[in-house]
Amino acid sequence: MTKAPPHEKGVREDEPRGPRRLTSPLALTFLLLLMVLLQGLLRRALSAPVMQSWTTVFVAVVVQALPFLVLGVLLSAAIAVYVPPSFFARALPRHPALAVPVAGAAGAVLPGCECASVPVAGALVRRGVTPAAALAFLLSAPAINPIVLTATAVAFPRDPEMVLARFVASLLVACAMGWLWHRLGRTDWLRPPTHAPHEGQSKGAAFWDSVRHDVMHAGGFLVVGAMAAATLKAVAPESWLRTAADNPVVAVLALAALAVVLSICSEADAFVAASLTQFSLTARLAFLVVGPMVDLKLFAMQAGTFGRAFALRFAPATFALAVVGAVLTGAVLL
């Protein structure tokens, strides 16, 4: 016996069947009305010196970083969609020990943010590239590509050695992690991806989907990072920051941990690091080396692409090597 359709039971099909949800336009309307009602209070709060300082730092970081972020996203989407993974498989040496530095150096000429490097590395593994080389590329591409190095030079105009230090430290860490995986990694730790991220889509649709996703994703983290940097500059007591900055070990570990938590896109992180003027160049170098290799969003993406067993081993080892590499490079070049 079949059930009668809703209109035969006296229930209209267009009648609401549950509580109405708060839609985005309605929520925005309420928010605007609230701001109008509280405009006097908001005006007084925004005119306070601490808020003016906060706004200045926030706007400066976002405005300086946004062009590099957008350009990096466009280039990384084009590479992820239009450059076939078989190209990398043919270009890399067959011996894993030689393929690792070649793949790491390839990151210097192939722009790609963290969001793009994980699926590209997954595609390399799926096409038969040795995992050690794919992982070296995964770590180096977001850290030493031309967009990131140019952004670093713009962010540190008085410290041009930061560009070389970032390049050297990041490339060394990427190669070291590739060789370490080749030596100690086990196949059952790595779960190769089974399909391409844009499978079934046309090239144009896949490109714009990648651009929209990366702009929204990376742009959100840029805003969070700029807010955190502005808050540190405007709200955190100067004595606290000076105490942390005066201790070299605490300064390096604090900024390395901050890079993991903030998860800023590598095209924009140099401007956040440049704003942390209380800290030494070596501590800020640790922020720049750790961020593109280990952060919360990268951990989630790596676990989703290669498996949790891989991410739980790969991320801590990368963090430790990135901190050590930044400190050693900073001691020599900064």
Side-chain angles (χ1 to χ4, degrees), residues 102-330:
V102 173
V109 295
L110 296 175
C113 70
E114 299 94 317
C115 301
S117 64
V118 175
V120 170
L124 294 178
V125 174
R126 194 175 56 252
R127 295 295 180 91
V129 173
T130 176
L135 296 178
F137 178 83
L138 182 151
L139 295 177
S140 69
I144 63 172
N145 69 68
I147 303 300
V148 170
L149 296 180
T150 302
T152 305
V154 173
F156 291 90
R158 298 181 180 178
D159 302 294
E161 63 272 17
M162 281 292 286
V163 180
L164 177 61
R166 183 175 195 177
F167 175 85
V168 171
S170 299
L171 182 58
L172 288 177
V173 173
C175 292
M177 280 303 301
W179 285 322
L180 185 65
W181 181 266
H182 173 62
R183 183 72 176 175
L184 302 178
R186 289 166 40 182
T187 55
D188 58 325
W189 291 347
L190 186 66
R191 184 195 66 197
T194 56
H195 58 83
H198 303 295
E199 189 174 2
Q201 290 182 301
S202 65
K203 295 287 187 181
F207 173 79
W208 288 114
D209 280 353
S210 179
V211 168
R212 282 192 295 267
H213 173 271
D214 288 354
V215 165
M216 295 299 296
H217 195 73
F221 283 107
L222 169 60
V223 171
V224 172
M227 292 174 63
T231 302
L232 284 175
K233 292 282 288 184
V235 178
E238 187 69 23
S239 59
W240 292 6
L241 294 178
R242 192 180 303 112
T243 300
D246 288 343
N247 188 316
V249 176
V250 173
V252 168
L253 294 178
L255 290 194
L258 186 65
V260 174
V261 174
L262 293 184
S263 305
I264 309 171
C265 187
S266 59
E267 283 88 359
D269 61 359
F271 299 96
V272 176
S275 69
L276 303 174
T277 54
Q278 299 91 341
F279 293 85
S280 66
L281 289 178
T282 298
R284 286 183 278 177
L285 177 63
F287 181 90
L288 297 178
V289 175
V290 171
M293 297 185 178
V294 188
D295 61 33
L296 297 180
K297 74 174 185 298
L298 272 176
F299 180 84
M301 294 179 68
Q302 291 171 5
T305 303
F306 298 111
R308 184 176 300 179
F310 165 81
L312 288 174
R313 292 169 173 84
F314 189 74
T318 303
F319 179 86
L321 272 181
V323 170
V324 172
V327 171
L328 294 178
T329 304

Side-chain angles (χ1 to χ4, degrees), residues 36 64 88 116 136 230 298:
V36 170
Q64 286 182 304
F88 300 100
L298 272 176

